[in-house]
Amino acid sequence: MSGHFLAAAVRPGSTSALRQVEPRLLVKFELDNAGASHKVRAARHIVRCAVETGEIIPGRTTVIEKTGGNFGLGLLLACADINVPVELAVGLSFSPIKRRFLELSGARLIGVDQLQAGATPREVVEWHLANATALGKSYFYTDQFNNPGSVVAHEYETGPEIVDQLKAFDGLRSLTFVSCAGTGAHLTGITRALRRAGLAVDVTLVEPAGCDSRNSVFVSHRFEGMAVGVNPPLLDWGLVTHTVQVDYAAMFEAQQRFATAHGYLVGNTSAACLAVALELADRAKGSHKVLTIAYDHGLWYA
Ligand SMILES: Cc1ncc(COP(=O)(O)O)c(C=O)c1O
């Protein structure tokens, strides 16, 4: 994996809107990004850096990753113009519509037989890397869970974008950032950027009921993208002030409320964060505001 993850290499794509949806609640609409989530930023940065270092050679290299979908969609977008094929190991329990969309967008979904026989997506990737020569492939494994490029992308692209957008809110000095963690990359990167800009930011980490990622306690849940079965390797736990668990009913209520009020059916991780953010925003005082993220669309999971 590359050590070349310079902030200078971050080149933003388009900007997603930051909207004040309640008097004290701000939502960053990452679901409107091309690639349909915040993950496209990490994928784009990692691919760009690997091309610059020569670890990806267009026309020769194949990018490989295990992903529930959003990071994969980002990889496809990042690789579309540079003649780099993308192979993805997607767990069979993940959103079937997303799997179809990944294929429509040009991904090769690998290891379906292996997954059906009980292999994990990680084992599928490892098998392909081990057999690359026999398969005639030269792989670059983006390794999203261990790739610091994801944090850099959010620290120097998403975070500064939000800082810039916050200038529209006169007198805003303090924020509660309500967020969740899969890899932990966006929570870490965005929080660092907000604090570097001089804002007083406390962070509430949202987890599915029964999960405690810090202590690697996981139960099965339907909030695809957060609490994915490992202590988030890119999460700087020192940044997290509070942790709140949300159950399916509370998530669903927030999802309905947001759809009714704003016309967006957001995904389950976004709605779980909204469940907490709406409550905290109701209790906020003075110029303090709550910030959360609409990560992706809910139709993927319908
Ligand atoms: C829908 C959704 N929400 C939240 C996350 C968590 O993002 P991160 O990996 O930056 O922690 C992901 C990650 O894949 C995701 O797909």
Side-chain angles (χ1 to χ4, degrees), residues 56-101:
I56 290 178
I57 301 172
R60 202 159 102 199
T61 309
T62 298
V63 161
I64 188 167
E65 183 55 278
K66 56 182 177 355
T67 165
N70 284 339
F71 188 72
L73 288 174
L75 288 177
L76 287 162
L77 204 62
C79 293
D81 294 336
I82 56 171
N83 189 24
V84 172
V86 176
E87 296 191 359
L88 302 174
V90 185
L92 299 176
S93 62
F94 284 107
S95 157
I97 303 172
K98 218 186 259 176
R99 291 173 64 87
R100 278 191 54 209
F101 188 60

Side-chain angles (χ1 to χ4, degrees), residues 38-39 70 154 180-186 224-226 269 295-296 301:
H38 66 302
K39 298 291 284 194
N70 284 339
H154 290 294
C180 67
T183 64
H186 79 280
E224 204 171 289
M226 69 160 82
T269 59
Y295 298 102
D296 71 353
Y301 312 103

Side-chain angles (χ1 to χ4, degrees), residues 19-245:
R19 300 201 181 101
Q20 180 165 292
V21 298
E22 305 265 330
R24 289 197 174 80
L25 177 56
L26 306 173
V27 177
K28 178 82 171 149
F29 279 70
E30 286 290 282
L31 80 188
D32 282 339
N33 289 335
S37 81
H38 66 302
K39 298 291 284 194
V40 70
R41 300 178 189 258
R44 185 170 53 222
H45 184 60
I46 289 168
V47 167
R48 199 173 271 159
C49 289
V51 170
E52 281 177 17
T53 55
E55 288 161 290
I56 290 178
I57 301 172
R60 202 159 102 199
T61 309
T62 298
V63 161
I64 188 167
E65 183 55 278
K66 56 182 177 355
T67 165
N70 284 339
F71 188 72
L73 288 174
L75 288 177
L76 287 162
L77 204 62
C79 293
D81 294 336
I82 56 171
N83 189 24
V84 172
V86 176
E87 296 191 359
L88 302 174
V90 185
L92 299 176
S93 62
F94 284 107
S95 157
I97 303 172
K98 218 186 259 176
R99 291 173 64 87
R100 278 191 54 209
F101 188 60
L102 288 166
E103 282 187 301
L104 280 173
S105 306
R108 192 165 159 253
L109 300 192
I110 53 172
V112 176
D113 291 349
Q114 291 166 302
L115 292 164
Q116 278 166 348
T120 62
R122 170 195 288 274
E123 287 164 346
V124 169
V125 168
E126 283 167 357
W127 184 90
H128 281 74
L129 292 174
N131 292 282
T133 310
L135 295 167
K137 296 282 168 69
S138 171
Y139 281 121
F140 177 75
Y141 177 27
T142 43
D143 197 6
Q144 60 161 323
F145 274 79
N146 295 296
N147 197 321
S150 305
V151 179
V152 173
H154 290 294
E155 189 170 349
Y156 293 96
E157 180 182 336
T158 329
E161 195 175 295
I162 295 171
V163 168
D164 208 43
Q165 291 168 317
L166 289 175
K167 290 179 185 150
F169 301 95
D170 257 0
L172 179 64
R173 296 278 172 275
S174 67
L175 274 176
T176 297
F177 181 30
V178 178
S179 178
C180 67
T183 64
H186 79 280
L187 187 156
T188 299
I190 291 172
T191 307
R192 283 182 183 161
L194 295 173
R195 288 193 183 167
R196 195 184 311 118
L199 290 154
V201 182
D202 59 279
V203 177
T204 296
L205 174 74
V206 175
E207 301 238 66
C211 291
D212 173 7
S213 299
R214 194 194 290 258
N215 293 307
S216 299
V217 175
F218 298 100
V219 297
S220 102
H221 62 81
R222 293 166 67 187
F223 302 174
E224 204 171 289
M226 69 160 82
V228 295
V230 288
N231 185 333
L234 301 174
L235 178 57
D236 178 349
W237 282 102
L239 301 173
V240 176
T241 333
H242 299 102
T243 303
V244 179
Q245 295 192 348

